[in-house]
Amino acid sequence: MEFQRHQSHCLSERKGQKRKLDENFPEERQISAPPPTADERALLLAEVVNQVNILESTFTWNEADRAAAKRATHALADLAKNGNSMSPTLRSRLNCCGEEVVNVIVEGGAIPALIKHLQAPPVNDCVPKPLPFEHEVEKGSAFALGLLAVKPEHQQLIVDNGALTHLVDLLKRHTNGLTSRAINSLIRRAADAVTNLAHENSNIKTHVRMEGGIPPLVHLLEFSDTKVQRAAAGALRTLAFKNDENKNQIVECNALPTLILMLRSEDAAIHYEAVGVIGNLVHSSPNIKKEVLFAGALQPVIGLLSSRCSESQREAALLLGQFAATDSDCKVHIVQRGAVRPLIEMLSSPDVQLREMSAFALGRLAQDTHNQAGIAHNGGLVPLLKLLDSKNGSLQHNAAFALYGLAENEDNVSDFIRVGGVQRLQEGEFIVQATKDCVAKTLKRLEEKIHSRVLNHLLYLMRVSERGFQRRIALVLAHLCCADDQRRIFIEHHGLELLIGLLSSSSSKQQLDGAVALCKLANKASALSPIDAAPPSPTPQVYLGEQYVNNATLSDVTFLVEGRRFYAHRICLLASSDAFRAMFDGGYREKDARDIEIPNIRWEVFELMMRFIYTGSVDVTPDISQDLLRAADQYLLEGLKRLCEYTIAQDILLENVSSMYELSEAFNAISLRHTCILFILEHFDKLSARPGHPLLIQRIIPEIRNYFVKALTNANPHRL
């Protein structure tokens, strides 16, 4: 979250600078242009050198010199704005190569010449009165230098040539008591130049403070000209960002009262810059944050949430998110003073950054239990959930963090379910790992709430609500309920019927949701009590051992299989299954026969069956498993059936699951049948595209019901 705040402040600082430059040259630009040729570059360089020579030779109060110097500063500024003083042909070629044009201007020596004219020429007795073009040349120089500060190396070159000292002096030019449009414009250009020079340059920010630039900028916040106020605030905003010494000096210069008054200005540009300064002051500065709150910033910042200026709204939301990190009382105060509703409305703004910052603020507010129910009650859940679909990673993460907070309150659980929030969290595609982790924690938090009062409420709603909501509750409970509560929910309160009903829905999405929920339910139930364990043998098993398999020693019965003799022992067979007991103890002709013919079973199958009877185990291979299953079913060898079912189940595929289910029905292979059911539920989405799938589902629904009734009952024996 710290990274998110830093990213937002960087964006604000960049946008602030961009807005200033756009005000100065708002004309349309082409979106692409080839770099200038060598001849064009030489022509441009010659033009720059010409203007520089004029500046070098006109540092006097002579009226003609002052007029020429003014024209030269304007020409260089126009060139920096992509060549407006050049011929139309060259201008069209260089129009979108602004950075290259600036490079040529710097190469031509413009920076020292412009800095020289940031100060007025020496005054002597021969200077005419009034002074010709007083303040005008300095203003043009400051403006041009600000435009040249587009690269860090240019910024540093301007500072290294001594520009800051003169710019700070220009900020104080009004202190002699004189005011005029020219002075106002000069001060504004000087402040803008400071802003652009210090933009994303920590060393220059510190240099401005060392040159004494902060006190005059704070003083200018109270200047009568609103454009000067804006420019001063813009400079302070840049100087405060990620520079603790600058922040402290701005506060020590008593800037806070004026900045807070500016928050209430009807001029959007004024309150936008003011809230930006305050935001950068409090960023990572807990002590300043407390001072800002103590000075009364909270209510006017909340008021900006309803501003028509989306940038001010965004900055206000970001600032409230930072205030909310101070302490729990501040979170409560922000809500009490009316911030929640406008923040929720901003979640639906077409402005991505506005949505991002409002989600950030709500996320911070939602970490307090007193606010969580209020945010949900005021309609915050649905727009926050919609933001999870965003392709913007920061926006998505801020929404997820806010939802994590809301999930802490038990009163919000039913609302999460009602609006489909749990499914959105489960099915969302999240861009960054931090968001995935946050969503997982939110689902875990919801799961931990589903007990006692919350569970009773959900069961009540599952009984009395409209059908769609009942099913939604059943789906969520299948995923999130405690395994010990499954019988109560799905058997006693008929949640199972709601899930099974989804399998017959006309909506493929509902069918899939039902299948996934049932699969989840089966996994929970089987974890507590596997239901497919082989039943105990009706009589104690007697295993003679491997050495007696097809051994004539002590053999008292012989089987004829495919014309071959297989020697066996009645005592072992009698103990193995009811089928052999009936054969030897009942009224069948095999009772006294010495040789018994076995039809319809291959020798390999019969031998494996007998090996199981004598040893209690056997390796069942896929190529023989179905024939062996048939034999095991015929002779009621449940243990062998389970071994065969297990082997067959390993080969269940989308292509054969239907025939495997039929096989399980033909030989009453319960374990195989249950495995087929779980396979169908687990691969429901892929199977749904195959022919005959709807018929298969309707066919197995009764068995699905039987399976889950048995599973959920066995999984909760203490409730029997």
Side-chain angles (χ1 to χ4, degrees), residues 20-27 81 143 147 188-189:
K20 289 185 178 66
L21 296 181
D22 286 347
E23 285 174 354
N24 296 323
F25 47 100
E27 64 273 3
K81 292 187 297 183
F143 180 42
L147 292 172
R188 178 164 64 93
R189 295 304 188 195

Side-chain angles (χ1 to χ4, degrees), residues 12 48 108 110-111 144 152 177 275 297 336 453 462 495 508 523 583 585 596 622 628 631 657 667:
S12 300
V48 170
I111 286 177
V275 73
Q336 289 174 336
R453 180 172 68 89
M462 197 168 73
S508 58
N523 291 336
M583 180 184 294
D585 289 345
I596 301 172
L628 192 57
V657 65
F667 299 110

Side-chain angles (χ1 to χ4, degrees), residues 9 66 109 136 155 176 319 356 479 537 539 573 604 611 679 681 720:
H9 278 284
R66 293 290 285 175
E136 293 289 341
Q155 294 170 341
N176 59 6
L319 192 50
E356 183 180 340
H479 287 276
S537 175
T539 59
L573 299 176
E604 295 83 0
R611 191 176 299 280
F679 183 92
L681 294 175
L720 290 174

Side-chain angles (χ1 to χ4, degrees), residues 469-481:
F469 189 28
Q470 289 179 341
R471 288 175 168 175
R472 188 168 287 173
I473 294 171
L475 286 170
V476 169
L477 291 178
H479 287 276
L480 301 184
C481 76

Side-chain angles (χ1 to χ4, degrees), residues 460-471:
Y460 171 77
L461 293 175
M462 197 168 73
R463 185 171 69 252
V464 303
S465 302
E466 54 89 16
R467 195 68 167 176
F469 189 28
Q470 289 179 341
R471 288 175 168 175

